[in-house]
Structure formats: C-alpha cells, structure tokens
Amino acid sequence: MNQQRKISRRALLKGSLAAAGGAVLAPALAACGGEGRGVQDGVNPNGKIAIEYWIGVSQDTTTAFQSLIDEFNEANPNVTVNLKSYPSYADVAQALQTAAAARKMPAVVGLGYKELRYAAELIPHANIPDLPGFNAGWLEQNFAKAILDLGKVNGTQHIMPFLLGTPYLFYNADAFEQAGLSGPPRTWLELRDHARRLTDEIGRPSFSIPEEGYMWAYQSFIESNGVRLLEDTGSGYRVGIDGAGGVEALQLMAGMILEDETAVLVDDEQAAQSFQSGQLPLITGAGATVRAAQKQGNFNVGSAPLPVWEGKQKRVPVAGNGFFVPDVEPERQAAAWQMIEFLNEPETLTRWSEATGYPPPRSGLMDDPQYLKAFFDENRILRPELEQLGDEAVPYISWPGENGLEALEVLVDARDRIITDGQEAAPTLREAARRAEDLLND
Amino acid sequence: MVATGREQSATPTPKSLRQATYGSLEALSPYLLVLPVLTFMGLFVYWPLVYSVYLSTLDWNFVSPVREFVGLENFLELARDEAFRQALFNTGLYLIVLVPLLVLLPMGLALLLWPVRRSRAQGIYRAVLFAPTVVPFAVAAVVWLWIFNPLQGILTQVLIAAGGDRINWLQNPDTAFWCIVAVAAWKVLGFNLILYIAALESVPRDYLDAAELDGAGQWALFRYVRFPLITPTCFFVLVTTFIFISDEVFAAINVLTRGGPFGKTTNLLYYLYERGFESFQVGTASATALVLFAAVISVTWLQFRFLERSVHYG
C-alpha cells in the first residue's frame, strides 16, 4: 500500500514539475514564434525596414489612411508601414507616453495638435528638420506658414501638420425654411435670433455647441470677441478668459440656454444623434458630422463658417493631427520621412481629400483644376472649412506643462457653471483664470 | 548487538539517495504547486502596490530621466486640492447609495423570482437581468446617451408626456449623479442576483419542510431558515460590491459625464485616472491610489471584524 502511495506521489510530483516547467517555457516559446507578419518592426536582417504608424481618428478616416499606406507599401518594397489605430488622439498620446517609458516607441505617430506641447516637452523625438532626408526648401515652398505654425513650439517644427479641421456650423436647411430663415447666421447675435425662431417652430432647444469637457468651437466663440484664452508673456502664462469679451460671450450662451431655452449643452454623441435624426437643427462640429448626416439623407444639410462678433477679428482654431517622429533608430526615422513625403505628394493628397473631405495641408491644390478644384466646387458643403483656414486660422490651444489639462478643466468647469448653472460670469471667470494661471505657472 | 535494520551504511546507497531526493521534492511539492499563482500575484498585485508607495513620493511623469523625491508632498497636495476633496466626497456618497441598493435589491428580486424558478420564464428572467453584466460599457454607452438625451431620449419623452419640463440629465448637477448611480446599479444588479438565486437554491429542502410542518409562514421561513443559510452569500456580496463598485462607477463616469458637470460625478478612481493617465502626474496618482487602497482595506477589515460574526457558515 505504501509502495503504491509513494508511486502515485512520485507521479504527481513529476507531473507537477512538468506542468510548472511548461508554464514557464510556454510564453518564451510563444515569443519565439513571432507575430507572423514575416517582417519584424525595425531594421530586419534582409534590409527591409518595418515601422509602425499610430493614429487615433474615426473609422472612415482610418480606412482612408490604410488605403494610402497600402499604396506606399506597394511602391516602396524596402519599407513596410503598419498602421495601428486608437480610438482618439488622447489614447494615442497615452500609448506614446507608455511606449516612451518602456523605451519602445513607434517610428511615427499621428499626434493631435492639442498634445503638441506635452509631446514636445516630454517625449524624446526628432524635430522635423532633423529627420534623415529632410528638404527645407521643399517644406517652405509647398506649405503655408500658418499651416506649419500648427506644428511649432517656439519656432521649432516638432510636428509635420497633415490632417486639418476647423469647427463650423451645420444646419438643417429644411427646418430653416420652415422657420422662415433665409440662411445661416453671420454673427453670434444673429445666431441667437435664429435659435429663437427655430425653437418657436419646433418647440424644443434648437442649437448646441456640443463640447462637453473641452473647448474647440468655444475657443473661437470666446477669442473672436477680443480675448486670448492663453498667452505666453515670456515670464509666464496668462489666462485671459475673464476679459470683457469672454464675459460677454458666456453671458450670451447662458442667456440662450437658461433664459431663452433655445440652446443646450450636450455630449458629441448626443448632438450627432439629435442632428442626424432632425431633432436639433443647428450645431457646430467637424466634417465627420455633416458627412454622416448627408449619408442618412433625412433632410438637406447646410454648412456655414462660424459666426463672428461684429467688428472684431475672427479666430478659428485648427485641430487635427500631424506626423510626430519619436527618437528611434535613424533607419526607422528615414523610413518615416519617406512615408511622410509620399503622403504629402499632390496626387496622394488629392485621393486623401476626396476620400475624407479634409482639406490638404499643401498649398495650391484646392484651387488647382488638376487636383482638387472640381472636388471642392462640387462639395460646397465643405467650403466653410476651407475659408476658415486662411487668415482666421490659429492654433488649437495646446495647454502646456503637466498641469495643462487641469488648467483647461478649471476653465471648462467655470464655463459650465455659468451656462448651465446660472452662476455670475465675471467673478466665476476671474477666479477660474487665476486658478488656471497658478496651475500653469507652478 | 541486535541488528535493528536501522543502521546507516557508511556510504549512502543509490536507493537511499533516490529516496532522500524524492523525500525532499515531496516536501517541496505544495510550494511548487502554488508557485505559479504566487508569482503571478507577486508580479501583478503585490509588486505594483510596493512600487506605488515609492512612486507616491516622487514628482515624475514616467518619461523624464529626472525623478524628484518629494516625500509626503503629494499627499499634502491632495489634501489641498478641491477636486480631490470633491472626488473623495462623491466616492463616499456613491458607496452609501449603491452598496445597500446592490445588496438588498438583488436579494428582493431573487425572492420574487423564487416562485417561478421551475417555469420556462425563469430562464428568460435570468437572461434579461444578467445581460447587463456581460454587455461592454462602450456598447451600452451609446444606448445610455440616447436614453439621457435631453432632446429626444426616452426619459425626456416620458417626462414631457407626463407634463414635466425637459431636463438635461447629464449636465444638470442635481441629476447627473443619479444617472451615474442608475447606470452602475444596472451593470452590477444581475451579477448579485445570480449569486442570491444560487444561494437560495442551495438551502436544503429538509429545513424548509421541517419549518413548514411546524407552521412557519413565508416570512418566518425567510427570517429563520433561508436568510441565516444565505448569510455567507450576503456577506460575500456586501464585501465584493463595496470593493468593486468603484470600477463600475468609473466606467459610467468615463462614458457619460467625464466627471462633470464641474466635478459633481467624479470619484477617486476617475480622479486617479485623470491625474495618472491624462496628465501623467504619476506621484499624485499613486498617492491617490494609496488613499483609496487604505480606505477600502480599512472598511473591508471592519466588515470582517464586526459583520462576519453574524454569518452562519452551517
């Protein structure tokens, strides 16, 4: 009996050791198997270079990117670009931070302009002019200063701008007609009147700037009234939202939401649901919203530039993303620049704009009959975005330092307290501006 | 001299050496069997905890080569931060509202479903009530945003049909908190319900029959037979709901309100996420994590110390 028990324990022990050994070896064996792509990320022994390109855009835009990347891979047998998609720019930034901490960064990232300062200050990277193969003349000849400035911090080109978007007005043209409105509003005060007439017609709020938790169209709304949300004075940062223009702007919005009940603050998703179903006839947004509404075909969709404050210089923040090249081996950086050059060729940009509706970053293509003139003439609904990329274009604020997002949060909270909770604008904004400055200058 | 058979030979024989080796290995075998689990827990549970203590003393962003030691400054900064105090307050409020709700309501539902446990409808009820547990939040978010849509959502339509005023559910500071409570409860209810149903089914039929023979009514059956025997499950539900409800609240906050309006819905976990993963303030986030850990472990200890004595383990 004892002999039998010893034998079964022996067998159990052998089995346990085998299982423990397998548990240790299995991950190592799996790793040896590789990812099955045939080309490892980096410089391969056969000379082929593989790089990853990280982006955080919508599904439609990702599809457009993938199509262009496939063309590049076919045309460049020595380089393979693998596109890696994330849900948003913020997710890309988080992943990049993690990759930087692990010292395993991709060769090129589609970094949002809002994340520019954080990446420029914190992530080891190559400035665009330092990339292998870079041609300064090509850049200056083909890209407008205002576009290049989107990727600069203190004069240094950290990002090569690519995807450009400005917020503009979208409206339900059929609802406008029913309310007796001949066209979109030109000024913010006209917009208030338009919203009243629409609400009288439909019996519910008719306008929204759907920016819960951030300020994009709101940056234009406030800064176009003569204030600057953020200024670098040289000796520190100054937050100017509490200026007379900021107070007036938010008082107007509070009046629309709380007194007139013609406007409402909702989430992006809720605004898209309501606009596309015809429930909310006037919103601000990006091109993706209008394209989705057009696809549904429930009503005629109109577009217009953001309104102005009478007699004041309009400012429209340009959002989107550009190419950011982390500090990796020179061979991968060279491959990244090769891809960037390909994507900025006129023919490639033409296919890009036609697929996505986004304007090309390169000068001269939109009005060139050989490239995009016919497309943008035919798609007049996209024209407001192009018009706003001229003198009115300014960078979308990239809040600096490790407290930058917290400072933005303070301003957004103040905005929400005023427009949804009815708190007094001037003292609320004054306190918020000082708190934000303390955070930024900490 | 009598041979006892126990004399050791001058040099160990191959057989005795083999036996000694196997003896040592047999003594080690329990430890080898638990080694993989201990290694996993050490790497993914205990080491991060220890490392968090270290990180909480730094001013660092995970990337910069400079790690500045600041001692307890991060904890002092939390105490001074109004947003942290708001998150702490909200966390307490969520626990006070959700823990009793998610301990008692599923129990009540389980008792209501008990009479239909043998019918075909039982499977449908269980599937419907358990479905939220397995639906990913990212998918459910789109539906919830529609439900709470102040222009066309179902809640708004019902309210207006009843003669009420339109409410911006997620932007109104008076309603946003309760929307998060509702969504978190919706997510967890089914899981706790299934636990209670299983516990009720495990009550021996003999006890119930004996009590019924003695003239016990439904309430007496529950009070004196069923409830005592399901107290282990009740205790488990209480402890696990308390520990894990913050995760569900975080998920609801992340998809619906992002902590707003003006911090009215944020909790400690969301505050930690914002500081750690959006602003990359590793020290502040780690300090927050330790505060949360201390709070959870303290309350869990209190639960075991004072409530477990009431649990009837049979």
Side-chain angles (χ1 to χ4, degrees), chain B residues 233-257:
Chain B
T233 300
C234 294
F235 187 66
F236 176 80
V237 167
L238 173 67
V239 172
T240 54
T241 300
F242 177 81
I243 292 173
F244 294 113
I245 194 61
S246 285
D247 290 343
E248 304 298 343
V249 168
F250 167 84
I253 294 169
N254 196 33
V255 298
L256 297 178
T257 62

Side-chain angles (χ1 to χ4, degrees), chain A residues 57-72:
Chain A
V57 293
S58 67
Q59 185 56 52
D60 286 344
T61 309
T62 302
T63 305
F65 263 119
Q66 186 63 66
S67 171
L68 297 178
I69 295 299
D70 290 342
E71 280 182 36
F72 172 82

Side-chain angles (χ1 to χ4, degrees), chain A residues 168-170 188 191 195 205-212 217-218 253 256-257 262-268 270-272 274-275 280-285 306, chain B residues 150-151 168:
Chain A
Y168 50 115
L169 279 183
F170 304 107
W188 286 106
L191 186 142
S206 55
F207 170 68
S208 183
I209 304 180
E211 295 183 353
E212 182 197 275
Y218 263 103
M253 191 54 60
M256 290 180 68
I257 291 176
T262 56
V264 65
L265 175 64
V266 289
D267 179 79
D268 288 355
Q270 288 176 325
S274 299
F275 182 74
L280 182 64
L282 182 60
I283 62 170
T284 63
L306 285 183
Chain B
L151 295 165
N168 195 341

Side-chain angles (χ1 to χ4, degrees), chain B residues 2 4 33 41 45 82 94 109 127 134 145 151 156 169-170 172 180 182 187 299 310:
Chain B
V2 176
T4 62
L33 286 170
M41 289 192 68
V45 177
E82 191 186 324
Y94 282 125
L109 281 174
V134 297
L145 283 170
L151 295 165
T156 299
W169 301 97
L170 297 176
N172 187 319
I180 299 296
K187 197 75 170 70
V299 176
S310 304

Side-chain angles (χ1 to χ4, degrees), chain A residues 150-442:
Chain A
L150 297 174
K152 285 184 180 175
V153 177
N154 298 329
T156 302
Q157 194 82 47
H158 296 276
I159 287 178
M160 176 72 193
F162 187 71
L163 194 158
L164 308 171
T166 64
Y168 50 115
L169 279 183
F170 304 107
Y171 61 96
N172 182 331
D174 298 341
F176 267 47
E177 200 179 313
Q178 280 168 11
L181 295 168
S182 57
R186 194 182 61 83
T187 70
W188 286 106
L189 292 179
E190 267 181 40
L191 186 142
R192 187 173 189 174
D193 286 334
H194 277 55
R196 281 183 180 134
R197 288 170 68 172
L198 286 165
T199 294
D200 286 343
E201 180 68 27
I202 64 178
R204 59 180 173 272
S206 55
F207 170 68
S208 183
I209 304 180
E211 295 183 353
E212 182 197 275
Y214 66 101
M215 293 201 281
W216 186 34
Y218 263 103
Q219 180 181 333
S220 176
F221 178 52
I222 294 169
E223 289 200 338
S224 297
N225 204 18
V227 300
R228 295 291 173 267
L229 286 180
L230 180 69
E231 280 180 289
D232 186 350
T233 64
S235 57
Y237 294 104
R238 192 183 171 280
V239 175
I241 195 174
D242 57 334
V247 173
E248 183 187 4
L250 292 180
Q251 281 175 336
L252 174 74
M253 191 54 60
M256 290 180 68
I257 291 176
L258 298 172
E259 292 167 22
D260 303 349
E261 295 185 349
T262 56
V264 65
L265 175 64
V266 289
D267 179 79
D268 288 355
E269 177 65 34
Q270 288 176 325
Q273 288 169 356
S274 299
F275 182 74
Q276 287 162 25
S277 65
Q279 302 285 315
L280 182 64
L282 182 60
I283 62 170
T284 63
T289 309
V290 77
R291 286 190 283 281
Q294 280 184 311
K295 271 187 198 171
Q296 293 215 337
N298 292 332
F299 51 86
N300 289 313
V301 181
S303 67
L306 285 183
V308 300
W309 293 93
E310 195 71 68
K312 295 185 182 170
Q313 173 63 42
K314 183 174 157 188
R315 290 168 64 89
V316 181
V318 181
N321 72 74
F323 301 107
F324 177 82
V325 180
D327 184 20
V328 296
E329 313 89 79
E331 293 84 359
R332 284 206 283 155
Q333 289 183 341
W337 182 246
Q338 211 176 326
M339 183 198 79
I340 293 169
E341 278 188 312
F342 172 83
L343 291 176
N344 278 289
E345 285 172 5
E347 293 78 14
T348 315
L349 283 173
T350 301
R351 288 194 291 282
W352 159 256
S353 291
E354 286 174 350
T356 61
Y358 287 117
R362 190 165 169 155
S363 306
L365 301 183
M366 286 188 291
D367 295 316
D368 191 330
Q370 189 184 352
Y371 296 112
L372 288 166
K373 185 175 190 315
F375 173 76
F376 282 110
D377 282 347
E378 200 177 306
N379 292 278
R380 302 210 65 80
I381 204 161
L382 301 173
R383 294 298 307 191
E385 189 158 45
L386 309 183
E387 290 168 20
Q388 291 181 150
L389 282 174
D391 295 336
E392 302 164 343
V394 298
Y396 184 20
I397 293 176
S398 176
W399 294 84
E402 64 174 29
N403 294 328
L405 286 181
E406 222 177 311
L408 173 62
E409 211 174 285
V410 166
L411 300 185
V412 168
D413 279 357
R415 176 200 73 186
D416 292 350
R417 286 178 195 277
I418 295 165
I419 67 175
T420 64
D421 205 34
Q423 293 188 16
E424 217 178 313
T428 304
L429 290 177
R430 198 177 312 123
E431 188 195 333
R434 300 296 82 78
R435 276 180 61 204
E437 281 176 354
D438 288 343
L439 285 166
L440 293 169
N441 295 315
D442 185 10

